[in-house]
Amino acid sequence: MLFGNALKKLKEGLTKTRETLFSKVAALVSTKSVIDDDMLERLEEILISGDVGVETTMLILENIKNRVKQEKTESSDQLTTLLKDEIARVLHVDGQNESGNTDLPAAPRPYVIMVVGVNGVGKTTTIGKLAFVYKEKGYKVIVGAADTFRAAANEQLEIWAQRAGVDIIQQKHGADPAAVAYDSLSSALARGADVLIIDTAGRLHTKINLMEELKKMRRVLEKRLPGAPNEVLLVLDATTGQNALQQVKQFTAAVEVTGLVLTKLDGTAKGGIVLAISNELKIPVKFIGVGEQIDDLQAFDRKAFVDALFDGFPQPSMP
Amino acid sequence: MFESLSQKLESVFKKLRGEGRITEANVAESLREIRRVLLDADVNYKVAKQFIEDVQKRAVGQEVLNSITPGQLIIKIIYDEMVKLLGESKADIQSSQTPPTVVLIAGLQGSGKTTFSAKLARFLRAKGSNPLLVAADVHRPAAIDQLITLGKQLEIPVYSERGAGAVKIAGDSIDFARKNVRDTVIIDTAGRLHLDEEMMQEVAAIKEITKPHEILFVVDAMTGQDAVNTAKAFHDRLDFDGVVLTKLDGDSRGGAALSIRSVVQKPIKFIGIGEKLDALEPFYPERIASRILGMGDIVTLVEKAQEQFDQEKAGKLEEKLRKSQFTLEDFLDQLREVKKMGPLSQVLGMIPGMNRLPDNVQVDDNALVRIEAMIQSMTQEERSRPAIINGSRRRRISVGSGTTVQEVNRLLKQFEEMQRMMKRITKGGLKRAMQGMRMPMR
């Protein structure tokens, strides 16, 4: 029941994306009967306009060209199937959760999740939604308010914690974020929480001192509980362009990002940048945000994601 | 990045020069390289295409074909066209003859509206006006608290009403400003998606009731291809007067600036370059053009240097350079001046070719501290005659500064190279040295 609902939401959230991106493919397919250079050039425009990036677009086009040659599928009706296949292939990253399942691994407890990202991508909102997802699953959730920099960040997280019905650990504005992280983990251990989600201040990946601060938080968590954090989620705004590649690289170098959360997919932005990231950097997408409500966060499901993009088109074969 | 683009283009032409003539086809090949640079910088696909076509018309003329450095000439044409397209520099806020002047701030979620509102208030106060900030973001949790906190920091009043709607707050704030003699009202609104009809109606209603003299659209410099769609949708609805580009202190190339400018034809008025409340600058098209092409921002660097450098010291330094008497003591002075200009990473980013450092190069401000410590551990004589620093002196310096002998060696070697370069500059004149450095714009 829940799944059906989730799929509907995902489709709704992605409606704009689909209309602007893949209705173009459909329109393109209907104009010609054979796949030719002109068609591929227009496909290039569609992909680049979706923030897929030059390199990954070229790869996808190259693969399509080769398959057209090998499989002798010249008919343009085949283009959508080929494209869907190739997008699914590019999106595949080893070790990726394929099922859209939000169960936590059986151990350890607390499962520590650190959430990082540049300013304004929606970290605090994502944490509110994430807390709600786990709470609904029956886990005992605690959030740690380690964004001690931005004015009123604590208050914002507190409101989200209330909405989700979970506990929040905080200190005063301007406190050492590593100290808040340490405190939160101690509390989570003492209270026997299943999952601890730590908010951090937004920071541009180019600021070395702020990235060092993040590294310190990671070290402090590890010291309090070996193995923590178990997950480092980088939140990315779906409207971000090619700079997202730099963000992923720099944050990964600093705190070993384990997965991405793609937010604001309810806009006209295509979030095509995740294709570039999957292809070039092999970091899996774990969650996507498709709206402003508390239940608008979903575990990433590659098949459903590609299906939603191509709603109404034939199923691809998964690599 | 520019270096590599420039080199790529030169090699395209060099190869062909060996074979014979430079043709339109080769120019087209180089334009493809440039197109890729534009797309990697997030310039919108259509905008990039149109732009390249316009440039092509100019670039296939004899001017380029006969040039000795066609690659660089093409970049110059591109750069000039881009500056032209980005529009006039430094547009100001329109002010009303009868106060208060009303400024409305709008944009997507997370673009930086609240921070920009506070920065703008500070900026306008410095110019002699009496601003009032208005917290009309009633949607994001704690957004009002955020603006109130920022207002407190700046000692600028913030108008808010708990529990009221955004339109009412905005309307009431104008009366409040009149009564309290505030001559400028800056209204911070909630972030909204251009697809969200209800929210777009709200901001249109705020516009209706407050009759703003200036509407600014705030956009994140890291935005990708979608920037044009959003800007156009907001513009259709609000007919805004100018654009604010935020988060330019990162390493994004800001191609969105070119896209938005081409599509809505409204000037970019301000850029945000940091989280601190004084990190706001007027917009200069030349700088963004350099950035999109990955050419660094030498103009800003020179200006910053002029701001920060002690004129008298600079005069003395020039004298020393001429006489080839540049010592480690002077080097230390220079380092301190550079440090004043801001974090090293930011300064380096403005130097052509340096803005895209390889991933393994860490720009570390601490390195400066270590160099400073090493030089301070030297005697006066050692600083003016580094040649006398032998093995045992090196050991002493490393112990004194808490560094290693290897680091001292590296510093001395770098200094030696620097002296050699300085000599070349003073002998051949600055112009010749610059030529050696492959400067694009001569």
Side-chain angles (χ1 to χ4, degrees):
Chain A
M1 167 214 95
L2 248 169
F3 180 71
N5 192 23
L7 195 66
K8 193 170 146 263
K9 271 228 156 127
L10 173 61
K11 278 181 183 166
E12 276 167 15
L14 287 175
T15 301
K16 297 300 169 202
T17 311
R18 198 173 61 243
E19 274 172 4
T20 50
L21 184 60
F22 293 103
S23 58
K24 286 185 190 163
V25 177
L28 179 58
V29 168
S30 67
T31 55
K32 288 199 171 163
S33 57
V34 284
I35 301 174
D36 58 10
D37 282 352
D38 179 48
M39 192 173 229
L40 290 173
E41 198 187 314
R42 282 160 67 191
L43 190 56
E44 177 198 270
E45 173 177 351
I46 292 169
L47 290 171
I48 287 177
S49 301
D51 288 322
V52 175
V54 178
E55 191 163 325
T56 305
T57 297
M58 293 307 165
L59 176 82
I60 292 173
L61 290 178
E62 204 52 45
N63 289 348
I64 290 181
K65 263 189 228 167
N66 288 339
R67 283 182 62 182
V68 166
K69 231 183 262 163
Q70 281 166 14
E71 297 164 23
K72 306 218 183 318
T73 43
E74 283 178 344
S75 156
S76 69
D77 326 334
Q78 293 300 310
L79 187 64
T80 328
T81 318
L82 288 177
L83 184 60
K84 203 171 171 180
D85 266 11
E86 290 306 323
I87 287 182
R89 193 203 302 272
V90 164
L91 266 177
H92 175 78
V93 175
D94 283 339
Q96 179 170 283
N97 177 2
E98 293 277 316
S99 60
N101 184 354
T102 52
D103 288 340
L104 288 173
R109 289 293 180 270
Y111 192 76
V112 182
I113 303 173
M114 191 170 155
V115 179
V116 301
V118 302
N119 318 66
V121 289
K123 280 178 299 302
T124 306
T125 308
T126 297
I127 288 168
K129 294 174 178 177
L130 202 56
F132 180 78
V133 166
Y134 288 128
K135 167 94 182 172
E136 285 290 287
K137 281 246 150 185
Y139 294 115
K140 183 170 168 56
V141 185
I142 290 183
V143 295
D147 177 357
T148 56
F149 178 80
R150 183 163 62 94
N154 271 5
E155 287 84 341
Q156 189 184 347
L157 189 61
E158 212 176 320
I159 293 169
W160 276 110
Q162 269 167 21
R163 285 182 190 170
V166 304
D167 289 347
I168 178 171
I169 305 295
Q170 53 182 320
Q171 290 181 10
K172 63 175 192 308
H173 182 78
D176 178 1
V180 180
Y182 188 91
D183 247 23
S184 309
L185 184 48
S186 299
S187 300
L189 282 163
R191 299 183 196 181
D194 295 309
V195 53
L196 168 67
I197 311 172
I198 297 173
D199 192 11
T200 64
R203 65 201 72 219
L204 286 175
H205 49 290
T206 49
K207 309 263 159 127
I208 287 187
N209 51 342
L210 295 179
M211 294 307 274
E212 287 297 327
E213 179 187 278
L214 217 49
K215 284 189 203 166
K216 181 181 167 192
M217 288 176 74
R218 202 194 147 94
R219 280 198 304 272
V220 163
L221 288 170
E222 162 91 45
K223 207 166 193 177
R224 184 72 185 82
L225 180 68
N230 311 95
E231 182 106 75
V232 178
L233 294 177
L234 174 70
V235 182
L236 276 182
D237 183 332
T239 57
T240 311
Q242 302 309 303
N243 190 250
L245 288 166
Q246 286 309 114
Q247 294 177 22
V248 175
K249 273 187 210 161
Q250 299 301 332
F251 275 100
T252 302
V255 288
E256 299 164 48
V257 172
T258 56
L260 306 175
V261 181
L262 193 63
T263 60
K264 307 187 196 174
L265 264 173
D266 46 340
T268 42
K270 291 99 188 162
I273 187 66
V274 295
L275 297 187
I277 294 170
S278 302
N279 178 37
E280 291 181 36
L281 305 174
K282 310 289 177 208
I283 305 267
V285 183
K286 300 239 163 145
F287 292 92
I288 58 173
V290 292
E292 297 203 315
Q293 299 309 311
I294 195 157
D295 56 350
D296 285 337
L297 186 78
Q298 301 179 0
F300 180 72
D301 173 341
R302 183 167 62 113
K303 189 170 177 308
F305 187 80
V306 180
D307 277 351
L309 285 174
F310 287 84
D311 192 23
F313 287 109
Q315 300 288 314
S317 56
M318 286 290 165
Chain B
M1 190 68 199
F2 163 65
E3 285 297 329
S4 71
L5 172 65
S6 169
Q7 278 158 11
K8 251 187 228 159
L9 295 188
E10 288 309 329
S11 78
V12 168
F13 287 109
K14 209 173 265 166
K15 207 166 51 198
L16 288 145
R17 199 172 290 129
E19 291 168 6
R21 294 183 326 112
I22 292 166
T23 63
E24 285 187 22
N26 321 135
V27 173
E29 188 181 336
S30 67
L31 285 175
R32 265 198 298 280
E33 290 287 347
I34 291 168
R35 189 187 83 127
R36 164 130 203 198
V37 169
L38 296 181
L39 292 176
D40 281 339
D42 289 321
V43 174
N44 179 272
Y45 186 90
K46 285 209 176 76
V47 173
K49 192 172 174 191
Q50 183 61 48
F51 186 73
I52 292 287
E53 275 169 19
D54 291 347
V55 168
Q56 190 161 23
K57 282 181 202 134
R58 263 189 75 184
V60 291
Q62 285 304 310
E63 196 189 356
V64 172
L65 301 187
N66 293 336
S67 162
I68 310 165
T69 54
Q72 300 209 355
L73 195 59
I74 285 182
I75 295 177
K76 179 165 166 45
I77 293 171
I78 295 255
Y79 175 85
D80 290 347
E81 290 290 316
M82 201 179 278
V83 169
K84 223 195 282 168
L85 191 66
L86 280 167
E88 69 267 41
S89 61
K90 274 221 261 189
D92 280 321
I93 297 279
Q94 300 164 35
S95 64
S96 160
Q97 302 227 304
T98 51
T101 295
V102 179
V103 185
L104 181 63
I105 315 293
L108 292 180
Q109 289 95 338
S111 52
K113 288 173 299 302
T114 306
T115 306
F116 169 71
S117 298
K119 285 179 181 177
L120 182 65
R122 185 189 174 277
F123 179 86
L124 292 175
R125 183 181 58 190
K127 291 195 150 193
S129 67
N130 242 335
L132 172 72
L133 282 162
V134 180
D137 177 357
V138 296
H139 301 277
R140 179 162 60 93
I144 295 178
D145 298 324
Q146 187 186 353
L147 193 63
I148 289 176
T149 310
L150 293 173
K152 258 190 212 138
Q153 280 172 27
L154 292 169
E155 295 174 346
I156 289 174
V158 176
Y159 183 81
S160 67
E161 288 173 41
R162 300 279 168 180
V167 182
K168 179 168 187 302
I169 295 176
D172 292 352
S173 72
I174 311 284
D175 297 331
F176 180 88
R178 278 206 194 95
K179 274 187 211 132
N180 294 276
V181 221
R182 309 306 297 188
D183 56 18
T184 312
V185 178
I186 300 167
I187 305 173
D188 177 31
T189 63
R192 62 200 77 224
L193 279 176
H194 49 292
L195 301 169
D196 189 335
E197 183 52 32
E198 211 174 299
M199 289 295 281
M200 290 308 276
Q201 269 172 15
E202 182 201 83
V203 72
I206 293 177
K207 179 186 174 185
E208 190 65 31
I209 198 165
T210 59
K211 308 240 168 350
H213 306 92
E214 178 89 23
I215 301 177
L216 294 174
F217 174 65
V218 181
V219 64
D220 185 331
M222 295 180 282
T223 312
Q225 298 280 328
D226 200 45
V228 289
N229 300 331
T230 330
K232 201 170 169 307
F234 270 87
H235 191 253
D236 288 348
R237 207 59 183 255
L238 292 176
D239 189 22
F240 57 71
D241 305 286
V243 178
V244 179
L245 213 54
T246 59
K247 304 181 204 170
L248 263 171
D249 45 333
D251 55 0
S252 82
R253 309 255 300 279
L258 187 69
S259 311
I260 293 176
R261 174 71 216 206
S262 329
V263 171
V264 296
Q265 298 290 323
K266 285 290 158 71
I268 295 160
K269 297 202 170 181
F270 293 98
I271 58 172
I273 49 160
E275 288 187 79
K276 297 215 178 97
L277 293 174
D278 59 353
L280 185 70
E281 284 185 356
F283 169 76
Y284 296 96
E286 298 84 3
R287 297 180 189 173
I288 299 292
S290 310
R291 198 168 165 137
I292 293 173
L293 288 173
M295 302 188 333
D297 185 356
I298 210 82
V299 189
T300 309
L301 186 63
V302 170
E303 260 177 28
K304 276 211 174 171
Q306 275 168 350
E307 254 173 51
Q308 303 288 351
F309 269 59
D310 188 325
Q311 284 303 321
E312 200 186 334
K313 271 191 194 160
K316 271 190 197 152
L317 179 67
E318 211 182 302
E319 180 75 24
K320 282 192 172 163
L321 282 179
R322 251 202 315 268
K323 293 183 181 162
S324 302
Q325 287 171 346
F326 188 71
T327 67
L328 275 162
E329 183 76 38
D330 302 318
F331 183 51
L332 184 61
D333 270 352
Q334 287 295 298
L335 274 185
R336 288 178 176 155
E337 297 291 344
V338 169
K339 259 169 77 181
K340 274 197 245 163
M341 286 160 63
L344 194 57
S345 52
Q346 229 180 64
V347 177
L348 279 180
M350 296 176 203
I351 300 173
M354 298 287 267
N355 56 341
R356 280 226 161 164
L357 290 167
D359 289 339
N360 55 355
V361 178
Q362 275 274 338
V363 184
D364 187 357
D365 284 289
N366 287 332
L368 291 188
V369 178
R370 297 172 81 84
I371 291 175
E372 217 178 313
M374 284 190 268
I375 299 181
Q376 277 172 331
S377 298
M378 297 176 189
T379 64
Q380 285 302 331
E381 202 192 352
E382 285 166 346
R383 291 185 207 184
S384 45
R385 289 173 53 212
I388 65 168
I389 304 178
N390 56 20
S392 93
R393 284 177 192 257
R394 282 172 202 226
R395 226 170 6 254
R396 193 205 74 242
I397 292 165
S398 73
V399 171
S401 57
T403 55
T404 61
V405 176
Q406 283 80 6
E407 278 177 278
V408 177
N409 288 342
R410 209 179 308 138
L411 169 67
L412 290 171
K413 200 163 172 216
Q414 277 170 355
F415 179 71
E416 205 178 299
E417 268 167 28
M418 215 166 122
Q419 262 184 327
R420 215 177 301 137
M421 201 178 87
M422 296 270 181
K423 258 183 208 143
R424 217 183 314 148
I425 292 176
T426 42
K427 255 188 214 154
L430 198 61
K431 216 171 171 183
R432 234 180 80 188
M434 297 281 253
Q435 277 172 354
M437 283 160 65
R438 299 178 131 256
M439 286 291 284
M441 309 301 147
R442 280 200 289 271

